Amino acid sequence: MKFISNSINRFINLETSSSIILFVVSIVAVIWANSSFGYLYEELWNREFTIGFANTNFHLAKPLILWINDGLMAIFFFVIGLEVKREILEGELTTLRKASLPIFAAIGGMLFPVLIFSGLNFGKIGAEGWGIPMATDIAFTLGILKLLGKRVPIGLKIFLTAFAIVDDIGAVLVIAIFYSTNIQWDLIMYAMLLFGVVIFLSYKQVYSKYFYFVIGFIVWLLFLKSGVHPTIAGILMAFTIPIQRKVDCMSYFKSVTNELKFFKDNSTPSNTLMSKQQIEAVGNIENLTEEVYSPLQQLEHNLHGWVSYIIMPIFALANAGVILSFDGLGNASHITTNIALALVLGNTIGIITMSLIGIKLKLADLPDGVNYKQIVGVSFLGGLGFTMSLFIANLAFNDVTLVAAAKMGVIIGSLIAGILGYLILKFSLKEKIVIK
């Protein structure tokens, strides 16, 4: 339990510090877009960049914002895929019993916002934005939990993390199925053939990060040209990364100990140069260290910081710059209100309702040290959509006015959900609970 606690706390510390950066960058984007320099904001993200050779078939030309949303965010989705695979194979989703409450909560947190938005928006423009309020932002929600300090039970942290991951799975499926248009199935077939090759190699435990990167880039490019959103390629490639280690920890310890002894026994009087035997020993240790890593765990560890501290803030800077005014929205202003209500009410009602159903049917249990008031607080935090909701808003609408209305709804709804969730949890958590 202590190992799980430490792992969760390390994960939350990373997400918390990144959530602070994300919040600051989002405020900067909003201030910039609403300032007298707002035109520079629009010009920057709509400036076209070309990769490859112009005037040939070997080039890609896209506005900067699409390079971010289609390219950088594929890496974000790749890391999500790694987290999902790890949780399914080794984490909180390994068994149905362990995963049942987060699954029930995530179903409620996805279904009810869709129903509320669709009901409020019935017969009006913008109905295709039903997927926007169904996503939860794990960085901000865990950041809010961190603000509450050591009073937060570890069971509540694990529940929120697992719930957010299941919610991400649902959001990815919605993007793949409902927000992909004009699909070219021949390109998808080529991509899936390549995907099948790396799946087979992974099954045979044949892994080279350089080869997988090249195949992953080709799969991403095929998805980009096919009409299916290319971030889905990131999720698929994540599932090809092996989780098994070539060398177990005990064998690694014994081998490294022997190499270090050999290194010591073959020392030289020189303080600058090593002997040939020492160089070989160091090389053997490096090879062993590479093989003791799980490729999946190593990639997740190496990429998580890049995603949290660079990719997500860049995405927020490019997408959160919404002009906070109803004046220019015209007949689309209802989208803002409906998304905000669906985020707050839909997630709260859905997560509480489905969690209670799971518990009452004895298909799920409350985590240790967690009470129903705390589940209510977490259910409000589930309405903090931000990153994924802003992402889906860009896919759902082509009209810039509808996109602006949707993004304003996401910002308002997420802000309300975050504040209410924090206050409820603050007053429901007992001061005497200390988790070390």
Side-chain angles (χ1 to χ4, degrees), residues 227-344:
V228 175
H229 201 272
T231 52
I232 302 302
I235 289 282
L236 289 176
M237 288 305 299
F239 279 90
T240 69
I241 305 301
I243 196 171
Q244 299 87 357
R245 301 191 308 252
K246 292 182 179 180
V247 176
D248 64 82
C249 290
M250 187 53 65
S251 297
Y252 173 76
F253 175 77
K254 291 178 179 178
S255 298
V256 170
T257 301
N258 292 333
E259 293 295 339
L260 288 174
K261 184 177 182 301
F262 186 74
F263 183 91
K264 181 181 178 182
D265 293 341
N266 289 274
S267 60
T268 64
S270 173
N271 293 323
T272 305
L273 301 175
M274 294 186 294
S275 68
K276 181 180 179 181
Q277 291 81 0
Q278 285 180 313
I279 294 174
E280 290 177 354
V282 171
N284 291 336
I285 291 173
E286 289 177 348
N287 292 334
L288 286 166
T289 301
E290 186 71 24
E291 292 182 346
V292 78
Y293 274 114
S294 159
L296 183 145
Q297 189 177 32
Q298 185 179 27
L299 272 175
E300 185 183 351
H301 175 77
N302 291 342
L303 291 175
H304 209 142
W306 286 93
V307 168
S308 298
Y309 295 125
I310 297 178
I311 291 176
M312 288 176 64
I314 290 175
F315 172 83
L317 185 63
N319 288 273
V322 180
I323 298 176
L324 299 178
S325 171
F326 285 93
D327 295 339
L329 299 183
N331 60 351
S333 59
H334 65 280
I335 294 176
T336 300
T337 306
N338 294 347
I339 286 176
L341 288 172
L343 276 169
V344 179

Side-chain angles (χ1 to χ4, degrees), residues 17 40 48 67 70 110 124 133 155 174 183 191 194 228 260 279 306 326 339 344 347 357 367 396 399 417:
S17 52
L40 293 176
E48 190 170 273
W67 280 115
D70 293 352
M110 291 184 285
K124 303 175 183 177
V174 165
I183 299 175
L194 290 174
V228 175
L260 288 174
I279 294 174
W306 286 93
F326 285 93
I339 286 176
V344 179
N347 279 278
I357 289 175
D399 188 286

Side-chain angles (χ1 to χ4, degrees), residues 177-216:
I177 298 172
F178 299 102
Y179 290 115
S180 297
T181 56
N182 301 320
I183 299 175
Q184 296 185 43
W185 291 106
D186 56 335
L187 297 181
I188 292 296
M189 182 185 70
Y190 299 144
M192 296 311 292
L193 284 174
L194 290 174
F195 175 69
V197 170
V198 287
I199 281 285
F200 176 77
L201 293 175
S202 178
Y203 173 73
K204 292 295 185 179
Q205 298 189 29
V206 177
Y207 174 72
S208 166
K209 57 186 176 183
Y210 304 107
F211 177 75
Y212 275 51
F213 172 79
V214 171
I215 296 298

Side-chain angles (χ1 to χ4, degrees), residues 381-401:
L381 293 185
L384 211 164
F386 203 72
T387 305
M388 195 71 83
S389 293
L390 291 177
F391 186 80
I392 296 176
N394 289 317
L395 301 179
F397 301 125
N398 293 319
D399 188 286
V400 292
T401 302

